[in-house]
């Protein structure tokens, strides 16, 4: 039997909704509810293009030159984005994850990341996907299984679907960031700016139009439950939202402008992140996990309209 590019496919179903999670990368391949696609995913015969649905650990986004220092020791991970000379999106995007729990509405995947050049630490990652009437909930738990402290950051890379026959240009976007991180030609942050009075102030909602976004945001506005929300709404009033708990202090938005046609700007990447780009090098918001210590974060996707 032919093995699919993303391995086994784990289908969750609940009240007419369906989500598919993959063995390779432990990522989200598709999610449908109310008769429409909520994420701009990919087919089961494909590799995940443009990081669609990927889990980003033990760091999200970019790491300049793949280099950082931890507890006085220098480390260098392989460069995986050669056009910029960066290491991007961690080390678990194309590895196999093991199922440790599964029902019709829930699947829990686990991967043990062994020490390797550039990241000589032992990290256990566990991700639970659970489908309910409220939407899809994703919870990530990381545990240091080694004998010394390790640096850790994490993110996820879903693309929200604009809607059948639409592009993100046609949609209204609400996003919670008060501060945008400016970047250099290698997409590495160079400073932080207040979004007030700029086109990147999306807190009250703006039509995307011709706005190009590939930026990280922070100082996220939150509701009474401590959740930050991103909402993408089509002209017919239907849409999709991403929520993220307080563990995610950063958010990357990407309008897909480098995605090849015909899928350019068909989806909006909404990436909850526990730390900003280049965090292993700067130390900003990097979690220090001592031996045996764990950390947990949750986010989710919900239909609108």
């Amino acid at each position: 039997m032919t093995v699919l590019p993303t391995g086994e496919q784990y289908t969750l179903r609940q009240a007419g909704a369906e989500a598919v999670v993959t063995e390779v990368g432990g990522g989200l391949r598709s999610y449908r509810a109310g008769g429409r696609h909520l994420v701009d995913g990919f087919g089961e015969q494909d590799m995940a293009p443009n990081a669609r649905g990927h889990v980003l650990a033990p760091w999200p986004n970019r790491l300049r030159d793949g280099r950082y220092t931890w507890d006085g020791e220098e480390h260098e991970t392989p460069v995986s984005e050669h056009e910029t000379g960066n290491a991007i999106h961690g080390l678990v995007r194309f590895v196999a994850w093991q199922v440790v729990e599964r029902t019709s509405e829930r699947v829990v995947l686990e991967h043990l990341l062994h020490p390797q050049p550039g990241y000589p630490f032992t990290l256990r990652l566990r991700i639970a996907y659970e489908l309910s009437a409220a939407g899809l909930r994703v919870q990530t738990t990381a545990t240091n299984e080694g004998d010394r402290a390790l640096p850790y950051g994490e993110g996820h890379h879903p693309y929200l679907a604009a809607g059948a026959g639409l592009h993100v240009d046609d949609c209204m976007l609400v996003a919670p960031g008060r501060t945008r991180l400016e970047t250099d030609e290698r997409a590495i942050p160079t400073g932080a700016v207040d979004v007030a009075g700029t086109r990147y102030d999306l807190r009250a909602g703006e039509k995307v139009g011709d706005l190009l976004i590939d930026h990280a945001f922070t100082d996220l506005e939150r509701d009474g439950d401590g959740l930050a929300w991103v909402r993408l709404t089509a002209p017919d009033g239907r849409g999709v939202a991403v929520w993220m708990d307080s563990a995610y202090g950063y958010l990357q938005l990407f309008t897909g402008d480098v995605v090849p046609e015909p899928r350019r700007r068909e989806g909006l990447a909404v990436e909850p992140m526990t730390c900003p780009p280049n965090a292993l090098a700067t130390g900003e918001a990097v979690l220090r996990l001592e031996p045996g210590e764990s950390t947990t974060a949750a986010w989710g996707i919900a239909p609108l309209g």
Side-chain angles (χ1 to χ4, degrees):
M1 184 177 69
T2 301
V3 176
L4 296 175
T6 53
E8 293 290 327
Q9 309 289 297
Y10 309 114
T11 302
L12 310 180
R13 294 187 176 91
Q14 200 278 338
E18 179 182 286
V20 179
V21 177
T22 63
E23 172 193 10
V24 175
L28 178 65
R29 184 171 69 77
S30 65
Y31 177 26
R32 289 175 54 89
R36 56 196 172 96
H37 290 283
L38 299 184
V39 300
D40 188 27
F42 58 99
E44 68 172 19
Q45 297 294 333
D46 302 323
M47 291 178 61
N50 307 108
R52 274 177 167 74
H54 277 170
V55 179
L56 318 177
W59 72 87
N61 217 288
R62 293 165 174 86
L63 175 60
R64 183 192 293 273
D65 301 322
R67 296 175 180 170
Y68 66 100
T69 299
W70 180 252
D71 284 351
E73 184 179 346
E74 294 184 358
H75 301 284
E76 184 174 353
T77 69
V79 168
S80 50
E81 188 181 53
H82 293 281
E83 62 269 30
T84 63
N86 297 320
I88 188 170
H89 292 334
L91 300 169
V92 297
R93 296 165 61 197
F94 298 102
V95 300
W97 292 61
Q98 305 300 315
V99 173
V100 295
E101 181 185 334
R102 188 179 182 188
T103 68
S104 62
E105 301 171 358
R106 173 180 166 90
V107 65
V108 182
L109 303 177
E110 187 175 275
H111 178 75
L112 182 62
L113 183 64
H114 291 280
Q116 55 192 274
Y119 196 79
F121 311 102
T122 306
L123 177 69
R124 187 179 302 277
L125 295 165
R126 178 174 288 203
I127 301 182
Y129 293 88
E130 186 167 3
L131 193 58
S132 71
L136 180 68
R137 184 177 190 273
V138 186
Q139 179 173 293
T140 303
T141 301
T143 303
N144 183 352
E145 298 283 8
D147 58 4
R148 59 171 169 159
L150 62 79
Y152 175 73
E154 173 257 302
H156 294 259
H157 208 300
Y159 284 72
L160 302 187
L166 298 175
H167 291 81
V168 295
D169 315 45
D170 307 306
C171 298
M172 292 291 294
L173 173 61
V174 178
R178 297 186 185 98
T179 300
R180 180 176 64 88
L181 303 186
E182 293 188 318
T183 57
D184 62 16
E185 68 281 358
R186 297 173 65 183
I188 299 296
T190 57
V193 295
D194 191 329
V195 301
T198 76
R199 289 198 67 191
Y200 295 103
D201 189 350
L202 303 166
R203 291 171 292 175
E206 296 287 342
K207 184 175 181 180
V208 176
D210 61 357
L211 183 62
L212 308 181
I213 314 175
D214 190 8
H215 299 282
F217 297 80
T218 189
D219 298 324
L220 308 181
E221 293 187 346
R222 297 181 181 274
D223 64 15
D225 296 319
L227 304 180
W229 289 83
V230 176
R231 296 176 174 87
L232 187 71
T233 308
D236 65 1
R238 300 198 302 174
V240 57
V242 166
W243 59 265
M244 59 205 79
D245 74 8
S246 60
Y248 295 107
Y250 298 82
L251 166 69
Q252 182 86 13
L253 297 177
F254 172 48
T255 46
D257 298 280
V258 299
V259 173
E261 295 289 2
R263 301 191 65 176
R264 181 179 176 273
R265 293 177 72 91
E266 285 190 350
L268 174 75
V270 177
E271 307 166 43
M273 303 188 301
T274 64
C275 57
N278 205 36
L280 288 191
T282 65
E284 183 176 349
V286 172
L287 293 178
R288 181 184 184 89
L289 294 184
E290 299 292 342
E293 189 176 5
S294 296
T295 186
T296 298
W299 65 282
I301 303 176
L304 297 175

